[in-house]
C-alpha cells in the first residue's frame, strides 16, 4: 500500500478533475449521477465519494452510503409475520446506523471502478480502510455505526476478496440478480418473439392485448416535472409494498435524475385516458441497460398486465438500441425469468462493530433472511 492512498469527499464539487475519466465505464460512479444522489438522496442517506490514488494519480473511484434506519417510515409492508416483526425490531435496535460500501439503491457491482489493473489485496485493503475512516467520522459526531456492508460482488471478485482482508468477514448471498443477455442476432422485437417457445409467445400476445388503450410515452424533463407528484405516488405504492426497504426516494429524485443525466436516463409513462397509471425507468450504462425504479396503479397493473408489458418494453428498448445485457435486479424473479432473464448469484460481505454480535452475525443473518421459493422459467425454443 506504499504507493496507494485514498481520500474521502463529502461533496461532488470537491471531486478531482479526472473523476469522470476514471469512472467512464460506469454511469453510477460518474458525477452526473452522484450529483443526483447529493441533490435528491433519500432523507435517511448520506453519501461519500472515495478517490483512490497511485502516488498522486487518480486511478480509482468508489462510493459509500450511510443509512439511518431510524428515519425510515416503514421497512416494507407486504409481509406481515412474526419473522418480519423480529427482523424489523433487530434492524431498528441493533443495525439502525448502517454503512454500505457500494450503492444500496441498485443491484450489481457498482461500488468501485479502476482505470488500471489493481490486485484484490489492495482493493480489500482500500475498502476496509475507507469503512474505518467513515466510521470514525461518525464516531466524532456521536454516532456509532452498527453494521458495515460491502455490497454486490460477482463470484470471481468475491472469491478473490476472500483471499485477503475479507477472509474473516461473513459472506452473504441474497436473491440473485436477474440479467438478460440479449442475442446479438436480434434486431427487433419480432426477432425476440420468434425465438420464444409457443407457451411464451402466447404469454407475449396475451400481455400485448391487455395493454390496448394504454399509451406509452418517453417523458421529457418538462413532462417529468409536470407529473412529478403522480410519479412519486406510483413509485411509493410499489416501494411501500416491497418485502423489505432501507430507504425511500425523495420526491424530486426522478426530475433531478432526468435534469442531470438527460438521455442517459429514460423514463416512460403509461397513460390511460390521459391519466398516468404507471412508469418505468432505465439508465444507459455503456453496453448494459440498467432497469431502475418503477411504479404503477395496482388495479391497472392487474387488469392490463402492466408490469409484464413493462418488462417486454424494456427488452425491446435494449434490442433496438444495441445493448448486450439488461440488469433486471432482484425482485419478481419468476416473471423476469419468463421473459428471458437468468439468475446470477452475487455476494456481499458484512460485519457488526459489536464483537459479540459479530460472532453470531452469520446465524442471525440466515435466520432473518426470508426463504426464497420460485421456479425458473425457460422461455426460448
Amino acid at each position: 500500500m506504499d504507493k496507494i492512498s485514498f481520500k474521502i469527499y463529502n461533496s461532488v464539487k470537491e471531486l478531482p478533475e479526472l473523476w469522470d475519466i476514471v469512472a467512464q465505464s460506469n454511469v453510477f460512479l460518474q458525477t452526473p449521477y452522484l450529483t443526483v444522489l447529493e441533490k435528491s438522496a433519500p432523507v435517511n442517506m448520506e453519501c461519500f465519494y472515495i478517490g483512490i490514488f497511485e502516488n498522486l494519480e487518480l486511478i480509482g473511484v468508489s462510493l459509500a452510503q450511510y443509512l439511518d434506519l431510524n428515519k425510515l417510515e416503514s421497512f416494507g409492508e407486504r409481509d406481515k409475520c412474526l419473522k418480519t416483526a423480529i427482523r424489523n425490531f433487530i434492524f431498528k435496535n441493533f443495525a439502525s446506523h448502517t454503512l454500505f460500501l457500494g450503492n444500496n439503491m441498485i443491484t450489481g457491482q457498482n461500488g468501485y471502478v479502476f482505470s488500471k489493473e489493481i490486485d484484490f489485496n489492495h482493493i480489500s485493503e482500500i475498502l476496509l480502510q475507507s469503512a474505518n475512516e467513515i466510521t470514525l467520522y461518525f464516531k466524532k459526531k456521536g454516532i456509532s455505526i452498527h453494521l458495515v456492508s460491502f455490497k454486490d460482488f460477482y463470484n470471481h471478485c468475491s472469491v478473490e476478496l476472500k483471499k485477503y482482508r475479507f477472509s474473516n468477514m461473513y459472506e452473504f448471498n441474497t436473491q440473485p440478480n436477474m440479467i438478460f443477455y440479449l442475442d446479438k442476432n436480434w434486431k427487433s422485437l419480432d426477432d425476440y418473439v420468434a425465438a420464444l417457445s409457443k407457451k411464451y409467445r402466447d404469454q407475449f400476445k396475451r400481455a400485448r392485448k391487455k395493454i390496448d388503450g394504454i399509451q406509452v410515452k418517453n417523458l421529457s424533463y418538462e413532462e417529468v416535472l409536470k407529473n412529478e407528484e403522480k410519479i412519486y405516488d406510483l413509485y411509493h405504492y410499489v416501494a411501500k409494498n416491497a418485502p423489505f426497504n432501507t430507504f425511500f426516494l425523495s420526491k424530486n429524485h426522478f426530475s433531478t435524475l432526468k435534469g442531470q443525466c438527460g438521455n442517459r436516463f429514460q423514463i416512460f409513462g403509461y397513460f390511460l385516458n390521459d391519466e398516468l397509471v404507471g412508469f418505468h425507468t432505465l439508465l444507459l450504462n455503456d453496453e448494459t441497460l440498467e432497469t431502475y425504479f418503477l411504479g404503477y396503479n395496482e388495479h391497472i397493473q392487474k387488469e392490463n398486465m402492466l408490469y409484464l408489458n413493462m418488462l417486454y418494453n424494456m427488452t425491446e428498448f435494449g434490442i433496438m438500441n444495441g445493448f448486450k445485457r439488461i440488469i433486471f435486479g432482484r425482485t419478481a424473479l419468476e416473471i423476469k425469468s419468463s421473459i428471458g432473464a437468468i439468475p446470477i448469484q452475487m455476494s456481499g460481505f458484512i460485519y457488526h462493530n459489536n464483537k459479540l454480535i459479530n460472532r453470531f452475525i452469520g446465524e442471525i443473518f440466515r435466520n432473518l433472511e426470508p426463504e426464497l421459493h420460485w421456479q425458473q422459467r425457460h422461455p426460448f425454443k
Side-chain angles (χ1 to χ4, degrees):
M1 290 289 289
D2 288 351
K3 295 179 181 177
I4 306 291
S5 62
F6 66 91
K7 184 175 180 181
I8 298 173
Y9 304 89
N10 295 76
S11 168
V12 174
K13 288 179 182 175
E14 300 169 4
L15 298 183
E17 201 175 304
L18 299 178
W19 184 281
D20 282 342
I21 293 172
V22 174
Q24 62 186 328
S25 64
N26 194 314
V27 67
F28 295 112
L29 288 165
Q30 293 166 15
T31 55
Y33 179 77
L34 299 181
T35 302
V36 174
L37 293 187
E38 192 166 274
K39 289 183 175 181
S40 66
V43 292
N44 66 327
M45 179 182 287
E46 185 175 345
C47 294
F48 299 86
Y49 319 102
I50 303 160
I52 302 150
F53 299 85
E54 185 176 49
N55 296 323
L56 296 176
E57 180 193 355
L58 184 71
I59 61 162
V61 300
S62 185
L63 173 68
Q65 295 173 333
Y66 160 71
L67 285 172
D68 181 354
L69 301 185
N70 293 310
K71 294 181 180 178
L72 206 60
E73 61 180 270
S74 161
F75 283 114
E77 297 175 8
R78 191 188 77 183
D79 301 333
K80 297 187 188 298
C81 63
L82 180 61
K83 194 173 187 178
T84 302
I86 293 168
R87 179 202 65 191
N88 292 355
F89 175 81
I90 288 172
F91 267 91
K92 202 77 173 171
N93 291 279
F94 302 104
S96 58
H97 300 291
T98 299
L99 178 65
F100 288 92
L101 273 289
N103 192 333
N104 189 47
M105 296 170 67
I106 50 175
T107 303
Q109 193 166 308
N110 298 296
Y112 62 81
V113 69
F114 289 90
S115 60
K116 61 184 292 185
E117 198 74 30
I118 184 165
D119 64 77
F120 281 93
N121 185 15
H122 282 95
I123 292 172
S124 66
E125 188 70 44
I126 290 161
L127 292 175
L128 271 170
Q129 286 190 20
S130 300
N132 290 339
E133 189 166 314
I134 297 170
T135 299
L136 186 62
Y137 163 85
F138 280 104
K139 191 176 182 180
K140 289 175 181 174
K141 293 172 71 173
I143 297 169
S144 295
I145 297 291
H146 297 132
L147 208 60
V148 177
S149 178
F150 302 86
K151 187 177 177 289
D152 281 356
F153 299 97
Y154 290 112
N155 187 54
H156 68 282
C157 291
S158 60
V159 167
E160 290 299 319
L161 288 167
K162 281 187 290 186
K163 293 177 182 177
Y164 303 104
R165 293 297 305 278
F166 283 38
S167 60
N168 295 321
M169 223 181 292
Y170 177 66
E171 180 183 8
F172 64 91
N173 306 107
T174 54
Q175 294 185 7
N177 187 6
M178 299 302 290
I179 303 180
F180 193 174
Y181 295 96
L182 299 174
D183 190 319
K184 64 182 178 183
N185 295 314
W186 295 340
K187 304 302 178 189
S188 69
L189 189 63
D190 288 342
D191 293 336
Y192 160 74
V193 174
L196 296 170
S197 66
K198 183 181 184 307
K199 176 182 176 181
Y200 292 98
R201 274 203 312 278
D202 289 345
Q203 174 183 281
F204 175 83
K205 290 173 186 173
R206 193 163 60 250
R208 282 321 204 207
K209 280 181 184 174
K210 287 279 189 178
I211 205 171
D212 270 357
I214 292 179
Q215 182 191 9
V216 184
K217 190 174 183 187
N218 192 341
L219 302 181
S220 67
Y221 173 66
E222 289 73 24
E223 288 167 323
V224 175
L225 274 178
K226 179 185 171 185
N227 292 283
E228 187 153 65
E229 198 168 315
K230 185 65 176 177
I231 288 170
Y232 186 81
D233 288 345
L234 294 169
Y235 150 76
H236 190 257
Y237 168 78
V238 173
K240 196 173 61 170
N241 286 282
F244 186 61
N245 268 316
T246 53
F247 65 88
F248 287 94
L249 297 175
S250 63
K251 292 190 176 181
N252 68 334
H253 184 77
F254 297 106
S255 61
T256 306
L257 191 47
K258 188 64 179 172
Q260 284 291 327
C261 296
N263 288 333
R264 295 188 74 178
F265 174 63
Q266 303 281 328
I267 178 164
F268 292 85
Y270 291 70
F271 293 86
L272 180 61
N273 300 325
D274 295 325
E275 181 191 353
L276 185 68
V277 295
F279 73 94
H280 78 258
T281 57
L282 298 167
L283 271 154
L284 286 54
N285 191 8
D286 198 28
E287 296 178 328
T288 301
L289 185 62
E290 309 264 0
T291 65
Y292 203 54
F293 296 95
L294 56 75
Y296 49 69
N297 176 303
E298 181 191 15
H299 305 295
I300 304 295
Q301 138 62 14
K302 286 181 178 175
E303 181 64 30
N304 298 85
M305 299 174 74
L306 203 57
Y307 182 69
L308 181 56
N309 275 295
M310 287 179 179
L311 296 179
Y312 286 132
N313 289 341
M314 294 175 199
T315 299
E316 182 176 20
F317 186 94
I319 293 168
M320 298 305 293
N321 290 279
F323 288 95
K324 288 189 174 179
R325 66 195 72 82
I326 305 174
I327 306 287
F328 277 116
R330 287 199 168 95
T331 56
L333 310 183
E334 197 159 319
I335 194 171
K336 287 171 180 173
S337 77
S338 81
I339 64 140
I342 60 172
I344 303 296
Q345 199 62 57
M346 301 200 77
S347 293
F349 296 88
I350 197 167
Y351 68 83
H352 200 286
N353 276 315
N354 180 304
K355 289 182 180 177
L356 180 61
I357 294 175
N358 194 55
R359 275 179 61 193
F360 299 101
I361 193 74
E363 195 174 331
I364 294 167
F365 194 94
R366 283 190 297 272
N367 285 322
L368 294 179
E369 181 67 14
E371 287 183 52
L372 186 60
H373 300 290
W374 72 288
Q375 184 179 347
Q376 185 178 351
R377 304 297 179 176
H378 302 279
F380 298 111
K381 292 174 185 173

